[in-house]
């Protein structure tokens, strides 16, 4: 008897057409993500990563040139949403990429918690989000906001409505 996984393995890769859609959603379609300057780096069935460059509009502490905590929170939330979109898509690989993308319309944040651990000082940051559980109505995620050296500056957990 064969056993079928509900979500493909983490080494699973999406087709280029879907990755182009996901990149467009991350970087262009959501106006606030564009303000943040998020750049999608990778996405698979469970994890999404992005980078963002420091710019004057993102400063939260002028004296120390620290990135604003709201920017960190928004970046974590955005990338967790992209990770959930990826996980949803991975479960429906029998559908064409654009049909899978239509499933994202009902996605919304239910709960978001962020722990700030170190000051966000630097020129470039990365964001990593992982889907811990994808249920029929709710997805749970864990996220990290990292310095250019890979040091965890903030970590978060979030839940998303998926239907």
């Amino acid at each position: 008897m064969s056993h079928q996984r509900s979500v493909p393995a983490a080494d699973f890769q999406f087709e280029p057409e879907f990755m182009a859609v996901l990149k467009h959603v991350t970087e262009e379609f959501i106006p606030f993500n564009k303000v943040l300057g998020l750049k999608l780096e990778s996405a698979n069935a469970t994890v999404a990563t992005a980078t963002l460059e420091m710019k004057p509009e993102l400063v939260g502490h002028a004296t120390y040139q620290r990135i604003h905590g709201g920017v960190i929170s928004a970046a974590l939330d955005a990338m967790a949403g992209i990770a959930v979109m990826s996980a949803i898509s991975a479960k429906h690989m029998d559908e064409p990429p654009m049909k899978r993308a239509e499933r994202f319309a009902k996605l919304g944040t239910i709960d978001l918690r962020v722990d700030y651990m170190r000051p966000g000082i630097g020129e470039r940051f990365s964001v990593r989000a992982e889907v811990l559980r994808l249920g029929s109505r709710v997805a749970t995620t864990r996220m990290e906001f990292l310095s250019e050296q890979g040091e965890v500056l903030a970590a978060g957990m979030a839940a998303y409505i998926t239907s």
Side-chain angles (χ1 to χ4, degrees):
M1 182 189 276
S2 72
H3 175 28
Q4 185 177 4
R5 294 173 57 121
S6 61
V7 175
D11 62 352
F12 167 87
Q13 291 187 348
F14 290 111
E15 63 273 61
E17 183 182 358
F18 180 76
M19 287 304 297
V21 169
L22 207 55
K23 188 171 182 63
H24 175 72
V25 168
T26 304
E27 298 177 10
E28 302 292 331
F29 185 72
I30 300 171
F32 193 63
N33 288 1
K34 196 170 182 177
V35 170
L36 294 174
L38 283 174
K39 300 293 180 198
L40 183 67
E41 295 291 317
S42 67
N44 63 36
T46 58
V47 177
T49 63
T51 59
L52 69 128
E53 303 287 329
M54 186 59 162
K55 55 186 179 179
E57 299 85 358
L58 303 182
V59 171
H61 194 296
T63 303
Y64 296 104
Q65 294 297 296
R66 284 191 290 228
I67 195 164
H68 194 285
V71 171
I72 293 172
S73 177
L76 291 171
D77 184 25
M79 287 317 299
I82 296 297
V84 172
M85 289 177 195
S86 296
I88 291 169
S89 183
K91 283 181 68 172
H92 298 279
M93 290 301 292
D94 57 321
E95 299 174 356
M98 291 311 292
K99 176 76 172 164
R100 294 190 324 254
E102 290 172 12
R103 293 178 173 276
F104 306 159
K106 295 181 181 179
L107 185 70
T109 309
I110 298 172
D111 185 57
L112 174 67
R113 175 193 165 88
V114 177
D115 293 316
Y116 300 93
M117 293 178 249
R118 293 177 181 84
I121 299 172
E123 295 301 314
R124 182 182 170 115
F125 303 96
S126 59
V127 186
R128 181 183 185 280
E130 178 180 8
V131 176
L132 301 177
R133 182 178 184 281
L134 179 63
S136 61
R137 295 189 40 87
V138 176
T140 305
T141 63
R142 174 177 48 212
M143 308 86 74
E144 294 179 325
F145 190 89
L146 306 156
S147 71
E148 202 164 3
Q149 294 75 33
E151 188 175 43
V152 178
L153 304 178
M157 298 276 301
Y160 296 84
I161 191 77
T162 60
S163 61

